[in-house]
Amino acid sequence: MKCKRCGELAAVKLPSHHAGFCPGCFELFFRKQVETAVRRHAMIAPGEKVLVAVSGGKDSLALMRVLSDLGHDVTGLHVHLGIPDSSDPVCARTEAYCRENGFALHVLRTGDVGLAIPKVKAAVHRPICAVCGKIKRHYFNRFAYENGFAALATGHNLDDEVARLFANVLRWDATYLGSQGPTLPSEGRFVRKIKPLYRLTEFETAAYCFLKGIDHWKAACPYSGGASFTGHKKLFADLEHASPGQKIAFYEAFLAKGREHFAETNREGRQQLTPCASCGYPSSGELCGVCRIRALVAK
Ligand code: AMP
Ligand code: FES
Ligand code: ZN
């Protein structure tokens, strides 16, 4: 197969785009997809500071690289979860990557704020991944807000977004459907959340890392035992195989025709949030979810 752009031998075949690309043209394609996402969904205004949540996995390392190459002012934040045999090497890999590429990186240790994940796991009687995700999201936002970042970027890709959308559709969960999308605008103490890789698949970010020599962390979290929504992802992989282009079409059509309907419903029946009595961040009760978890762990 020949590269669609330059006619050289193609290295990456992309059936959903009816194209194959050589390494150089694939990188241009990858950047273009991110540029389109940023422009269409008003993710970053010129000169704005962006905080990138870097886990050490392929998506967030690729995201840091591509946003920087597009000229954006990026700083990384890695959340060290305190998980034995996992968090130290993941953090070391993330630090090495940022040092070698000249990216500023902050490391926040949840153990320093009374929330080392093994202790949280022992104290709460809910699936640890959901609780851990809540803690991470709280500190991503808090760090961004307190340090003057205009936006918080995460490495969610098209497969993540489509699987989440499908799960929300299966439950017709209006609240989640109304707030799902590549950009969530800022509001009060919530900074803008952006997902600049939403037009790129897991395969495409993996290919980008491979071709750019980005050495990412590959092992799954020892507590989660693997990626989330694996069943839904497999379903969409089959659909995509049978009919290339289905994934992006399903997601873009939701953004164009479905999301606003749910967002409108949300605006009408929205619960008022008040500042958490302990940390001051928006909460539906006296204490926010994260401060409640901290209290449980401290008991
Ligand atoms: P996940 O939910 O693990 O697939 O992660 C989704 C995104 O959240 C990643 O692409 C990162 O941007 C961010 N992320 C997850 N875990 C961490 C972490 N420990 N530190 C910083 N960012 C993270
Ligand atoms: Fe949070 Fe595994 S429990 S990353
Ligand atoms: Zn709180």
Side-chain angles (χ1 to χ4, degrees):
M1 185 178 208
K2 284 188 173 170
C3 172
K4 183 182 179 181
R5 208 173 150 269
C6 74
E8 290 288 313
L9 189 66
V12 188
K13 190 177 164 194
L14 302 178
S16 55
H17 294 271
H18 310 289
F21 291 111
C22 73
C25 293
F26 175 71
E27 191 182 336
L28 288 178
F29 156 84
F30 194 90
R31 265 201 226 182
K32 194 118 205 348
Q33 293 299 323
V34 176
E35 220 175 1
T36 302
V38 169
R39 189 185 60 248
R40 274 198 201 157
H41 297 280
M43 291 185 181
I44 311 168
E48 279 186 340
K49 283 196 333 169
V50 181
L51 184 69
V52 180
V54 270
S55 62
K58 63 179 184 330
D59 301 304
S60 50
L61 295 191
L63 176 61
M64 195 75 179
R65 171 83 270 157
V66 70
L67 285 181
S68 169
D69 288 349
L70 287 170
H72 298 295
D73 179 353
V74 287
T75 298
L77 172 67
H78 177 71
V79 175
H80 184 297
L81 302 164
I83 301 175
D85 304 326
S86 164
S87 297
D88 280 343
V90 179
C91 183
R93 178 77 57 88
T94 309
E95 284 177 323
Y97 174 78
C98 289
R99 195 171 47 244
E100 284 156 16
N101 287 276
F103 299 137
L105 175 75
H106 297 272
V107 175
L108 193 152
R109 292 169 184 270
T110 60
D112 292 347
V113 288
L115 290 167
I117 296 302
K119 288 195 176 158
V120 175
K121 190 170 184 286
V124 300
H125 304 288
R126 277 184 284 153
I128 188 61
C129 290
V131 179
C132 169
K134 189 191 235 338
I135 293 170
K136 284 193 284 195
R137 286 191 299 276
H138 175 87
Y139 283 101
F140 294 162
N141 178 68
R142 190 163 169 173
F143 191 93
Y145 181 76
E146 290 173 5
N147 293 283
F149 289 93
L152 167 77
T154 52
H156 293 96
N157 58 44
L158 180 63
D159 294 279
D160 298 326
E161 287 300 281
V162 164
R164 180 176 302 273
L165 173 59
F166 189 55
N168 291 336
V169 166
L170 285 179
R171 287 180 280 110
W172 290 112
D173 191 320
T175 309
Y176 283 112
L177 285 167
S179 60
Q180 177 163 5
T183 297
L184 205 63
S186 67
E187 191 181 352
R189 282 193 181 209
F190 288 126
V191 300
R192 186 188 319 138
K193 311 284 186 317
I194 62 173
K195 296 171 183 167
L197 300 183
Y198 92 90
R199 293 175 55 80
L200 290 152
T201 63
E202 221 150 277
F203 170 77
E204 287 158 358
T205 56
Y208 178 82
C209 286
F210 177 76
L211 294 171
K212 300 280 287 176
I214 296 175
D215 185 16
H216 57 92
W217 186 257
K218 296 177 190 78
C221 163
Y223 290 168
S224 77
S228 44
F229 299 121
T230 27
H232 297 356
K233 283 184 178 174
K234 171 146 192 342
L235 227 141
F236 270 89
D238 291 347
L239 258 178
E240 184 73 21
H241 183 72
S243 178
Q246 284 283 297
K247 270 192 281 200
I248 188 84
F250 175 62
Y251 194 71
E252 289 287 11
F254 163 72
L255 294 180
K257 301 175 194 170
R259 183 175 54 164
E260 187 47 34
H261 164 76
F262 295 103
E264 185 64 41
T265 315
N266 278 357
R267 277 193 288 273
E268 284 161 11
R270 193 158 58 169
Q271 184 186 10
Q272 214 44 48
L273 298 178
T274 51
C276 163
S278 173
C279 71
Y281 281 80
S283 166
S284 55
E286 193 193 346
L287 286 182
C288 74
V290 170
C291 288
R292 282 201 303 270
I293 297 164
R294 199 194 327 278
L296 263 179
V297 174
K299 254 189 198 169

